[in-house]
């Protein structure tokens, strides 16, 4: 999961800068708990905007592309609308980055692992499904998925 989260900043310079600012924020002499919480909230906002844009425009994040996966609307079969992408991104960001909601993240992961339709809470919120990219050769898609599982995706 950690590698998957880090892959989100590939080809995302705004997210990379936000990570840098967050890493430096506690070292500043004016760093207070309020400042750190503020920068953390700013990260969530930047993440939601970037995630919404990528999912709506491309139908995938960098991590999905590396795994040979795409995100599709259950209603249209195409990339989700901006509103659905936003709902998906908000739920994903909150469960990933708000420690009080990590038990909800655990439930979400359990839904993917043991649920009948393998959809996480953010997919339910956005009415989306993650599927193999039909434009890829099945063997290429299988190899990409295996590299991701083994942590070897570049």
């Amino acid at each position: 999961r950690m590698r998957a989260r880090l892959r989100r900043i590939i080809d995302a310079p705004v997210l990379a800068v936000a990570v840098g600012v967050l890493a430096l924020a506690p070292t500043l002499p004016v760093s207070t708990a309020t400042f750190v919480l503020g920068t953390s909230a700013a990260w969530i906002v930047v993440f939601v905007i970037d995630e919404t844009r990528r999912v709506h425009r491309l139908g995938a994040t960098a991590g999905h592309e590396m795994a040979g996966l795409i995100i599709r609307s259950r209603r249209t079969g195409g990339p989700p609308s901006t509103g659905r992408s936003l709902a998906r991104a908000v739920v994903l960001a909150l469960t990933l980055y708000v420690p009080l909601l990590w038990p909800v993240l655990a439930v979400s992961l359990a839904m993917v692992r043991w649920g009948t339709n393998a959809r996480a809470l953010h997919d339910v919120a956005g009415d989306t499904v993650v599927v193999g990219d039909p434009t890829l050769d099945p063997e290429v898609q299988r190899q990409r998925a295996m590299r991701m599982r083994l942590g070897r995706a570049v």
Side-chain angles (χ1 to χ4, degrees):
R1 282 276 172 212
M2 177 70 92
R3 288 185 195 135
R5 298 302 166 232
L6 289 175
R7 286 186 190 106
R8 290 185 184 279
I9 64 173
I10 290 176
D11 197 29
V14 173
L15 289 182
V17 169
V19 166
V21 169
L22 266 179
L24 293 175
T27 66
L28 297 173
V30 296
S31 184
T32 64
T34 304
F35 181 73
V36 172
L37 287 175
T39 57
S40 298
W43 163 257
I44 291 173
V45 170
V46 170
F47 176 86
V48 166
I49 291 168
D50 184 73
E51 184 83 3
T52 300
R53 182 185 62 80
R54 286 175 180 272
V55 170
H56 172 64
R57 287 186 183 168
L58 306 173
T61 65
H64 287 102
E65 288 174 0
M66 282 189 254
L69 301 171
I70 56 174
I71 303 165
R72 291 293 175 236
S73 166
R74 287 182 23 153
R75 292 181 186 179
T76 67
S81 68
T82 303
R84 293 288 180 179
S85 298
L86 177 64
R88 184 181 192 281
V90 167
V91 171
L92 179 61
L94 293 176
T95 57
L96 284 177
Y97 301 119
V98 177
L100 292 174
L101 295 177
W102 286 349
V104 178
L105 178 62
V107 169
S108 183
L109 294 172
M111 289 171 59
V112 172
R113 177 80 171 145
W114 295 292
T116 57
N117 55 12
R119 291 173 65 213
L121 287 174
H122 57 277
D123 287 315
V124 173
D127 197 26
T128 58
V129 62
V130 177
V131 296
D133 187 345
T135 64
L136 291 176
D137 177 69
E139 180 60 21
V140 171
Q141 200 285 325
R142 186 194 68 74
Q143 289 173 358
R144 285 187 183 185
M146 186 56 69
R147 280 196 305 268
M148 287 294 280
R149 286 187 193 104
L150 297 174
R152 297 183 183 151
V154 178

